[in-house]
Amino acid sequence: MNGVLPDSGIRTLIQSNAITADPAIIPDQIQPASLDLRLGTVAYRLRASFLAGRGHRVMDRLADVQMHQMDLSGGAVLERGCVYLIPLMEHMSLPEGLTAVANAKSSTGRLDLLTRLVADGGTEFDRLPEGYDGPIYAEVCPRSFSVLVRPGMRLNQLRLRQGQAVLSDSELSDLNAREPLVGGQALIDNGLGFSVDLKPASGNLVGYRARPHSGVIDLDRIGAYEAAEFWDELRTTQGRLILDPGAFYILVSRESVAIPADYAAEMAPYLAMVGEFRVHYAGFFDPGFGIGDTGTGARGVLEVRCHEAPFVLEHGQVVGRLVYERMAARPDRLYGAGIKSNYQGQGLKLAKQFR
């Protein structure tokens, strides 16, 4: 059946050696609709980002752009504004008919840690074609904060897909009629649209802006850092914010969204024509997001970067959309149900390293 592979399908690929790793994949890498990927033991500092290009291997192109090599075994700092290539522990041998797409994990995006999948023969980031057989790499560029990383850390994840799985707008409308996907009226146009919340129900805290000169963040230290040392609070009673060019913001959607058990979703940026900003990192939403134990839906955290000119962002302005896909089968476990789901039932929330 066409659709996104669930956890059971990922386990089958591992058992058949279509996905291998050294060291072996551990059970909690397997999410309801994706596989977490682990950093290897070495990082290459690059002078520029690159793609291997058709017919070329990543390692053959590395000499053109490598500056130096770093051993990650004892932990190493990836510095803000620099670009690194890190071989991943996993190796892919995709069967015919199966493709893969990668994306940053939630906490990675909330740290403004640009992480993209690179592969041999690749002409675009974050994509593996059917039949791909080879190593995979993470290109990592810390944009706001320097970070301490170690082998085995998981910055991005892989979703595997058989055939066409994306719901059309009419199919999405039918699904919303059966199982409401959003609190309030659904805006369906090339996916489920969502807007920014700049008029919170209580208080006047609407978001955070990354501070430009902060310390190093050890990604393994959960709840270890005072948010005020890394973020400026954004407060308004006007229902608007002026975004500064080059600045990075954490905001939240006005709508609470839900992903039913037989579907997965991906956050996509809204059209660039709406303004000089971007919902910076697309992201995966697993089956069960916004449902789980809470049953109330969860809001989407927005990672926003302003580009060429200052821009006034208004409450209720549409800033992105969720593209829904069918699952090939229902996952054995849903997001938030007995697994470590840090952001179930979330509102405005920073990455898990902050308190």
Side-chain angles (χ1 to χ4, degrees):
M1 178 179 175
N2 285 351
V4 173
L5 260 61
D7 44 15
S8 58
I10 295 170
R11 284 191 288 269
T12 297
L13 290 177
I14 295 168
Q15 292 163 2
S16 66
N17 291 324
I19 303 176
T20 56
D22 183 19
I25 291 169
I26 56 178
D28 71 354
Q29 284 180 250
I30 303 172
Q31 305 301 324
S34 62
L35 175 70
D36 290 348
L37 303 174
R38 299 170 297 173
L39 301 181
T41 58
V42 65
Y44 301 95
R45 166 79 163 87
L46 308 179
R47 57 190 176 93
S49 171
F50 75 99
L51 288 164
R54 199 175 307 278
H56 298 282
R57 296 170 63 245
V58 169
M59 295 307 290
D60 291 341
R61 298 292 305 275
L62 187 60
D64 296 334
V65 292
Q66 177 184 346
M67 295 177 66
H68 62 266
Q69 180 175 324
M70 301 165 53
D71 182 6
L72 302 185
S73 299
V77 173
L78 306 185
E79 296 187 24
R80 175 186 175 216
C82 299
V83 184
Y84 302 86
L85 183 75
I86 305 176
L88 296 167
M89 292 179 175
E90 288 71 34
H91 182 285
M92 309 301 297
S93 299
L94 294 181
E96 294 297 323
L98 199 65
T99 60
V101 58
N103 226 314
K105 290 178 64 64
S106 295
S107 292
T108 307
R110 294 180 203 213
L111 290 169
D112 199 16
L113 190 56
L114 180 61
T115 304
R116 301 186 287 193
L117 189 76
V118 181
D120 289 347
T123 57
E124 56 184 343
F125 293 106
D126 290 332
R127 298 290 186 274
L128 296 180
E130 60 178 297
Y132 179 80
D133 186 0
I136 51 178
Y137 306 82
E139 181 190 279
V140 183
C141 179
R143 303 293 301 277
S144 291
F145 312 115
S146 297
V147 295
L148 178 64
V149 300
R150 300 178 184 85
M153 283 185 171
R154 309 171 203 174
L155 302 187
N156 57 348
Q157 55 195 332
L158 196 72
R159 181 170 281 180
L160 298 119
R161 182 185 298 117
Q162 179 82 38
Q164 155 60 21
V166 175
L167 270 62
S168 67
D169 282 353
S170 61
E171 291 170 326
L172 192 57
S173 295
D174 291 342
L175 175 61
N176 182 63
R178 299 193 308 270
E179 302 181 65
L181 305 176
V182 62
Q185 184 174 358
L187 172 63
I188 296 177
D189 182 10
N190 290 318
L192 178 68
F194 56 86
S195 60
V196 62
D197 184 7
L198 297 178
K199 291 183 178 179
S202 61
N204 59 6
L205 177 65
V206 297
Y208 299 90
R209 179 173 51 208
R211 304 188 70 176
H213 306 291
S214 302
V216 174
I217 297 172
D218 183 338
L219 298 184
D220 275 340
R221 298 188 64 198
I222 309 305
Y225 298 98
E226 290 288 349
E229 296 180 7
F230 295 84
W231 301 92
D232 291 324
E233 293 184 348
L234 300 175
R235 298 180 180 273
T236 179
T237 57
Q238 306 296 315
R240 69 175 65 93
L241 282 177
I242 297 179
L243 304 181
D244 294 325
F248 179 74
Y249 299 85
I250 297 292
L251 305 173
V252 70
S253 70
R254 185 176 59 165
E255 300 82 5
S256 293
V257 298
I259 314 297
D262 294 313
Y263 298 86
E266 182 175 355
M267 185 186 291
Y270 202 56
L271 297 175
M273 66 184 68
V274 303
E276 287 295 333
F277 67 93
R278 175 183 170 87
V279 178
H280 189 53
Y281 299 96
F284 292 151
F285 286 65
D286 276 338
F289 178 87
I291 303 173
D293 299 327
T294 65
T296 58
R299 295 202 272 169
V301 167
L302 312 177
E303 299 134 0
V304 177
R305 181 174 291 278
C306 185
H307 291 316
E308 303 299 329
F311 185 80
V312 178
L313 191 62
E314 304 276 356
H315 174 73
Q317 184 168 344
V318 176
V319 293
R321 66 190 191 278
L322 281 177
V323 177
Y324 280 71
E325 299 182 88
R326 297 178 190 85
M327 295 294 296
R330 181 172 292 197
D332 293 337
R333 295 187 299 169
L334 299 179
Y335 187 93
I339 59 177
K340 297 177 181 178
S341 304
N342 290 290
Y343 305 113
Q344 183 70 300
Q346 70 183 353
L348 178 63
K349 189 173 182 179
L350 295 171
K352 59 190 177 182
Q353 288 83 6
F354 301 103
R355 59 176 185 266

